[in-house]
């Protein structure tokens, strides 16, 4: 069974470093950031969103665990991924927004992400919220298929075109 467990402070420190690096890499892959600027931009964005780190109000950080996995962990469950969700307010309407979900490569394609989303829906409901939003990079077709299978719908698209630049000599 896949469950959500609140991150400890030690786990959060490791998670944040990985999240910053992962977001920088995705922004480079998508063409949104230049490789030499991506890490600094990602650090700035994360620090803007999380001025108080893990204690930033309305931000929730979870380990995604499978309590049925074989593990040397004394609690009998193993962390298979991470999830960061926040409560955001747009024009007086509060909703949940997933900033990051990541399943470790060794545990992908086993249904953990889908079950984590179902568990998240229950958590979001306890907060009195009725919608969950997220962003997905265009190159991540697998994630798009998962989200669509869970009932998520596209609410907007960002597009760009690369053009050839000419410099005068």
């Amino acid at each position: 069974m896949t469950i959500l467990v609140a991150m400890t402070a030690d786990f959060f420190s490791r998670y944040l470093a990985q999240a910053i690096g992962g977001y920088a890499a995705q922004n480079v892959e998508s063409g949104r950031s230049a490789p030499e600027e991506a890490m600094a931009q990602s650090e700035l964005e994360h620090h803007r969103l999380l001025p108080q780190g893990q204690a930033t109000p309305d931000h929730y950080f979870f380990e995604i665990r499978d309590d049925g996995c074989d593990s040397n962990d004394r609690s009998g469950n193993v962390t298979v991924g991470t999830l960061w969700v926040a409560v955001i307010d747009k024009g007086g309407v509060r909703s949940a927004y997933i900033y990051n979900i990541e399943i470790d490569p060794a545990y992908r394609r086993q249904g953990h992400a889908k079950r984590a989303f179902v568990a998240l829906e229950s958590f979001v409901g306890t907060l009195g919220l009725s919608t969950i939003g997220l962003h997905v990079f265009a190159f991540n077709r697998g994630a798009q298929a998962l989200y669509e299978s869970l009932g998520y719908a596209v609410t907007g698209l960002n597009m760009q075109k690369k053009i050839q630049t000419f410099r005068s000599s």
Side-chain angles (χ1 to χ4, degrees):
M1 180 170 76
T2 305
I3 58 174
L4 301 179
V5 177
M7 280 186 196
T8 63
D10 286 340
F11 193 99
F12 176 78
S13 295
R14 293 188 309 272
Y15 161 76
L16 186 59
Q18 291 173 339
I20 289 170
Y23 188 61
Q26 289 179 321
N27 276 303
V28 170
E29 187 173 347
S30 71
R32 289 172 43 168
S33 294
E36 60 276 6
E37 298 171 357
M39 186 60 82
Q41 289 172 339
S42 182
E43 287 172 349
L44 273 170
E45 183 70 7
H46 280 80
H47 292 299
R48 182 187 67 75
L49 290 169
L50 300 170
Q52 297 171 31
Q54 187 178 12
T56 301
D58 289 331
H59 288 257
Y60 303 90
F61 300 90
F62 297 101
E63 293 177 49
I64 301 169
R65 290 194 183 167
D66 183 347
D67 66 358
C69 284
D70 292 328
S71 169
N72 293 327
D73 181 29
R74 293 182 61 179
S75 66
N77 49 55
V78 62
T79 298
V80 299
T82 54
L83 173 64
W84 167 19
V85 64
V87 177
I88 61 171
D89 186 313
K90 287 191 175 180
V93 177
R94 291 171 40 92
S95 63
Y97 187 83
I98 299 169
Y99 279 102
N100 181 261
I101 181 166
E102 183 79 24
I103 302 296
D104 293 332
Y107 299 102
R108 290 182 184 159
R109 307 284 184 256
Q110 298 174 28
H112 294 296
K114 188 173 259 190
R115 291 188 297 272
F117 271 88
V118 171
L120 178 63
E121 288 177 15
S122 294
F123 173 76
V124 166
T126 67
L127 299 175
L129 307 173
S130 59
T131 61
I132 303 172
L134 56 80
H135 169 268
V136 60
F137 285 98
F139 64 80
N140 196 342
R141 301 282 187 211
Q144 291 173 38
L146 170 65
Y147 305 149
E148 288 172 4
S149 77
L150 289 164
Y152 286 77
V154 174
T155 59
L157 293 171
N158 293 321
M159 300 174 77
Q160 77 178 19
K161 178 181 179 182
K162 292 187 182 236
I163 59 170
Q164 187 129 24
T165 58
F166 300 97
R167 299 179 198 258
S168 57
S169 355

